[in-house]
Amino acid sequence: MTAQSQTNPAAMDIAAAHEKILIVDFGSQVTQLIARRVREEGVYSEIVPFQKAEAAFREMKPRGVILSGGPASVLDADAPAAPMTILTAGVPVLGICYGEQTMAQQLGGTVEAGHHREFGRAAIEVIDDCALFDGVWEKGGSYDVWMSHGDRVTRLPQGFRAVARAQGSPISVIADDTRKFYAMQFHPEVAHTPDGARLLRNFVRKVVGLKGDWTMRAFRAEAVEKIRAQVGSGRVICGLSGGVDSSVAAILIHEAIGEQLTCVFVDHGMLRKDEAKSVVDLFRHHYNIPLVHVDASQQFLGELDGVTDPEAKRKTIGRLFIDVFEAEAKKIAALGKGSADFLAQGTLYPDVIESVSFTGGPSVTIKSHHNVGGLPARMNMQLVEPLRELFKDEVRALGRELGLPDVFVGRHPFPGPGLAIRCPGVITREKLDILREADAIYIDQIRKAGLYDVIWQAFAVLLPVKTVGVMGDSRTYDYVVGLRAVTSTDGMTADFYPFDMKFLGQTATRIINEVRGVNRVVYDVTSKPPGTIEWE
């Protein structure tokens, strides 16, 4: 019997036994934040594009539904709409921004082009009580929210009442308590709406009535059974990058199938300083997991020679990774250990969401270094992706549940292409060595200042320019290093970390003094909207 034929379909859906909220995505760049807020309440949530919402609703059988915001106007002829199946199924529904407008229009209300558009911070006045406000907002109170709309509801559908208003949207929050339909013009999922998480909690807990049974302990046990069911007696190769995602995936898979797993750690020559040693020590010596360490730096750097476009770098690196894994699979088979039937990787839920963006969106670019869509047919392997239902912070929680050391669980994100996208322009060994040393000093300074766990991600970039400088009595013509540090709660939105000038001065001095080839250091103070927080 093959590994594939042993698969138990009932064990393949980890979420099947849990309370669920379905989120219908109309294209908002912060839809993922809705899912995160729901997950924070211990409730499993899943995002689907509006075109697939009806099928997902029937299959998933959620206890409640949230309609996201989006860039379209409900007044357009081809405007996206929520499936009427959802609005007539008798389950609680919450509409957010565009979700409010389409709900109102589809149920018989009126939406008009806004006479007063609202983008950014706004004040909302509560004019009546409702279940969403219980314990959070009081009638007559004024509260800060984050608006982003041009259209607005001007006439309520039958059965609804207005419970809050704002200057640019007199009908800002609507409620139909009988059907448990609620909608709001603002975005409760973003941090700029201070009470937003509590409003969403009221919908999940009080309106839908969910208790919350989504925990990492439960996920761990169910994921182990799912892996065993999928793999059977087959063999798995896991691609280790040294980052949190692949490390957690490897340890989880090893717990499930033991010696059937072989980890392959590919050194592509663009790793952080001492990265290879720390990964080998952890997996080969601490966890005693079979590990193949492949030094493919010459192959990778050779094919990247002369490549300057960041996207071309990503695609080249992704292709070469597949080539290396395929070669290692053949070697394992040649040693008499049996053929490798599966390739494991640390795909996360945001990777999956963005790979099926309903607009086609930027996901093709952002996630091109992931094999979310599958592997080349020639490999004759299946993907094992045990983390594809999790967000980054959930992966960290799972890592702690599995006993992964804090030094690995808490490490800053490091993308698969490594330093390739932190070295804009042509890549050379000399430039990578300079960047590695500068980055190591920067991270060392952050750790010494006690800021590493406060910052979501920090890294150095070797800019593709040289400047004239004076060091001692000599002129220099060397590279500029850019420093980036951001804070984030979810890795989807980010703001720069406000270092004091003393820290920046000391860090810049160390880099210039200790790293040959650098004579200037700059700090990036750009905030980032939802999406990738890399600098490339």
Side-chain angles (χ1 to χ4, degrees), residues 348-421:
L348 303 190
Y349 193 43
D351 303 332
V352 177
I353 296 169
E354 292 173 13
S355 71
V356 295
S357 169
F358 81 92
T359 61
S363 61
V364 174
T365 298
I366 295 173
K367 297 300 174 188
S368 59
H369 58 292
H370 290 272
N371 302 300
V372 179
L375 297 171
R378 71 171 193 273
M379 292 191 71
N380 195 30
M381 299 171 73
Q382 296 182 43
L383 279 173
V384 177
E385 300 173 308
L387 310 181
R388 66 182 284 124
E389 294 168 296
L390 302 184
F391 287 92
K392 174 70 80 171
D393 53 328
E394 291 175 314
V395 173
R396 295 189 194 281
L398 177 60
R400 295 185 180 95
E401 175 71 25
L402 290 165
L404 193 66
D406 283 341
V407 68
F408 269 84
V409 173
R411 9 183 25 179
H412 292 172
F414 188 63
L419 299 182
I421 56 172

Side-chain angles (χ1 to χ4, degrees), residues 209-480:
L210 303 184
K211 296 179 180 179
D213 60 0
W214 178 252
T215 66
M216 284 304 102
R217 177 167 295 182
F219 178 90
R220 174 184 180 178
E222 293 161 359
V224 165
E225 292 306 312
K226 176 180 176 180
I227 293 165
R228 289 172 179 166
Q230 181 185 5
V231 173
S233 60
R235 296 198 62 82
V236 179
I237 289 180
C238 180
L240 273 181
S241 69
V244 176
D245 306 336
S246 63
S247 297
V248 172
I251 293 170
L252 181 64
I253 294 169
H254 186 255
E255 181 173 290
I257 61 173
E259 295 299 309
Q260 291 170 246
L261 168 71
T262 298
C263 289
V264 177
F265 174 57
V266 179
D267 184 347
H268 53 30
M270 291 160 287
L271 300 172
R272 291 172 288 200
K273 187 175 182 180
D274 297 328
E275 184 89 39
K277 182 180 184 301
S278 63
V279 172
V280 171
D281 286 346
L282 178 70
F283 286 88
R284 185 177 287 168
H285 303 142
H286 181 77
Y287 281 100
N288 198 30
I289 296 176
L291 174 67
V292 176
H293 179 195
V294 182
D295 183 357
S297 58
Q298 185 172 349
Q299 179 183 0
F300 277 80
L301 294 179
E303 294 219 23
L304 288 169
D305 185 27
V307 178
T308 59
D309 179 68
E311 183 58 13
K313 292 177 182 178
R314 287 183 182 276
K315 289 181 177 178
T316 300
I317 291 170
R319 172 176 55 79
L320 291 175
F321 266 125
I322 292 296
D323 291 344
V324 171
F325 293 137
E326 186 176 18
E328 291 305 319
K330 292 178 180 178
K331 290 179 183 178
I332 290 173
L335 291 173
K337 295 183 178 181
S339 62
D341 308 288
F342 301 89
L343 174 63
Q345 61 183 23
T347 304
L348 303 190
Y349 193 43
D351 303 332
V352 177
I353 296 169
E354 292 173 13
S355 71
V356 295
S357 169
F358 81 92
T359 61
S363 61
V364 174
T365 298
I366 295 173
K367 297 300 174 188
S368 59
H369 58 292
H370 290 272
N371 302 300
V372 179
L375 297 171
R378 71 171 193 273
M379 292 191 71
N380 195 30
M381 299 171 73
Q382 296 182 43
L383 279 173
V384 177
E385 300 173 308
L387 310 181
R388 66 182 284 124
E389 294 168 296
L390 302 184
F391 287 92
K392 174 70 80 171
D393 53 328
E394 291 175 314
V395 173
R396 295 189 194 281
L398 177 60
R400 295 185 180 95
E401 175 71 25
L402 290 165
L404 193 66
D406 283 341
V407 68
F408 269 84
V409 173
R411 9 183 25 179
H412 292 172
F414 188 63
L419 299 182
I421 56 172
R422 296 177 183 176
C423 186
V426 174
I427 298 172
T428 66
R429 287 186 182 273
E430 177 194 13
K431 290 170 69 175
L432 289 171
D433 288 341
I434 292 172
L435 178 55
R436 242 186 298 271
E437 292 299 324
D439 186 74
I441 291 171
Y442 181 36
I443 297 302
D444 181 57
Q445 287 287 105
I446 289 173
R447 288 191 182 279
K448 287 178 177 177
L451 298 174
Y452 189 84
D453 293 333
V454 177
I455 294 169
W456 171 267
Q457 185 183 40
F459 54 87
V461 177
L462 190 68
L463 300 180
V465 294
K466 285 188 173 183
T467 64
V468 175
V470 176
M471 298 180 69
D473 296 323
S474 303
R475 286 189 178 276
T476 61
Y477 184 60
D478 289 320
Y479 287 105
V480 178

